Amino acid sequence: MRLEGKVAIITGGASGIGYATVRKFVQEGARVVVADINLAAAQAVADEFTTSASAPVSAVQVDVSDFAAVEAAVAHAVAVFGKLDVIFNNAGIAGGKPLLDHDPAVDYAPMIRIDQDGVYYGILAAGRQFRDQGTGGVIISTSSIYGEQAAELSFTYSAAKAAVISFTRSAAYELAQFGVRAVAITPGRVGTPIINQFSDELKATFAAEQLRNKMTEPEEIANVVAFLASDEANVINGTVVSVDDGYSVFKQRLDLPTF
């Protein structure tokens, strides 16, 4: 098991990509802290995956837009499991509207606090713990295909996800001296609860934007995250790993005329 003995915090761990990653990390031998704003949901996930008296999974409530809460989640991991090896900054929100229709208090500030500041707080809190432990660590953060391009109704979301990429590069540069790696992932269209609430027509359009003509499953993202968290990925540092099934390499399939 590639994560045997490692301790990980997964934010947004009660659903979607986070939930799938909790399951994958446990399968790979990690002890996991499910960190989520919904404590009841996080505890349900912890109960589901705790299979022995050693309690490999623990739950903690965290609002990632509150630095003190993120620090407390890191402290919780150390108190329960004795150390921290990996943080997966995955919690986030989506949504948007045309720029000129924005109410900054509604359409800008909340998303920046969660999708951008929440990742910064995770990097900072975990980075300090890794430094103090003297054992290194891995920081994985969820960006997006939108962090590298403009898209419809995504002015704030794209900005926040672009910041995640910049944070990752800078963290890798500054924290390498402490044996810390930092990596960002850019998912494309993933079948999470956020997307699955949409109409079948819209989901079909999303699927057509990827090379397999299907939505990515959260478990497929979790597989990549587990690899990035492992020692097998030691040379992957400061980079963006695309997990978008080709979304970024083409626009959309066209019905070509006969030549």
Side-chain angles (χ1 to χ4, degrees):
M1 293 187 286
R2 68 178 69 182
L3 300 180
E4 184 74 38
K6 293 188 182 295
V7 175
I9 294 173
I10 298 174
T11 70
S15 65
I17 292 171
Y19 171 83
T21 305
V22 171
R23 178 167 55 195
K24 180 64 176 178
F25 273 41
V26 171
Q27 291 172 347
E28 293 286 357
R31 292 170 289 172
V32 179
V33 173
V34 184
D36 201 281
I37 196 167
N38 185 334
L39 179 57
Q43 187 60 56
V45 174
D47 293 342
E48 177 182 356
F49 293 117
T50 294
T51 58
S52 70
S54 62
V57 185
S58 180
V60 65
Q61 185 173 34
V62 62
D63 176 354
V64 296
S65 70
D66 178 355
F67 181 51
V70 177
E71 283 188 306
V74 170
H76 175 90
V78 176
V80 173
F81 296 124
K83 62 172 183 171
L84 181 66
D85 299 294
V86 180
I87 188 167
F88 180 29
N89 296 309
N90 173 69
I93 59 174
K97 64 175 62 168
L99 170 61
L100 299 184
D101 294 337
H102 273 205
D103 174 350
V106 175
D107 303 304
Y108 181 81
M111 194 170 292
I112 292 297
R113 287 199 305 268
I114 295 170
D115 290 6
Q116 178 174 308
D117 295 351
V119 172
Y120 162 66
Y121 294 153
I123 291 171
L124 181 58
R128 286 174 173 169
Q129 178 62 33
F130 295 150
R131 176 199 62 192
D132 294 345
Q133 285 178 182
T135 56
V138 182
I139 299 168
I140 304 168
S141 302
T142 301
S143 178
S144 168
I145 49 175
Y146 283 4
E148 298 184 305
Q149 60 188 259
E152 66 284 349
L153 308 179
S154 67
F155 185 91
T156 305
Y157 185 77
S158 292
K161 293 302 186 178
V164 171
I165 292 172
S166 182
F167 289 163
T168 295
R169 291 169 176 157
S170 295
Y173 178 77
E174 290 205 33
L175 302 181
Q177 63 180 310
F178 304 112
V180 176
R181 290 192 294 114
V183 186
I185 61 169
T186 53
R189 304 300 194 184
V190 183
T192 64
I194 291 175
I195 284 185
N196 285 335
Q197 66 182 323
F198 297 139
S199 69
D200 289 343
E201 181 181 8
L202 182 54
K203 287 189 288 186
T205 298
F206 286 162
E209 295 177 306
Q210 303 196 149
L211 289 177
R212 294 182 299 172
N213 199 34
K214 61 184 287 189
M215 298 251 265
T216 302
E217 295 298 328
E219 292 76 14
E220 294 176 299
I221 306 298
N223 290 340
V224 177
V225 174
F227 165 68
L228 293 173
S230 75
D231 294 342
E232 294 175 3
N234 280 343
V235 296
I236 302 177
N237 194 10
T239 57
V240 178
V241 177
S242 295
V243 285
D244 63 358
D245 188 19
Y247 177 101
S248 58
V249 306
F250 82 117
K251 295 295 184 183
Q252 192 168 356
R253 297 186 188 278
L254 301 176
D255 292 326
L256 296 176
T258 300
F259 292 96

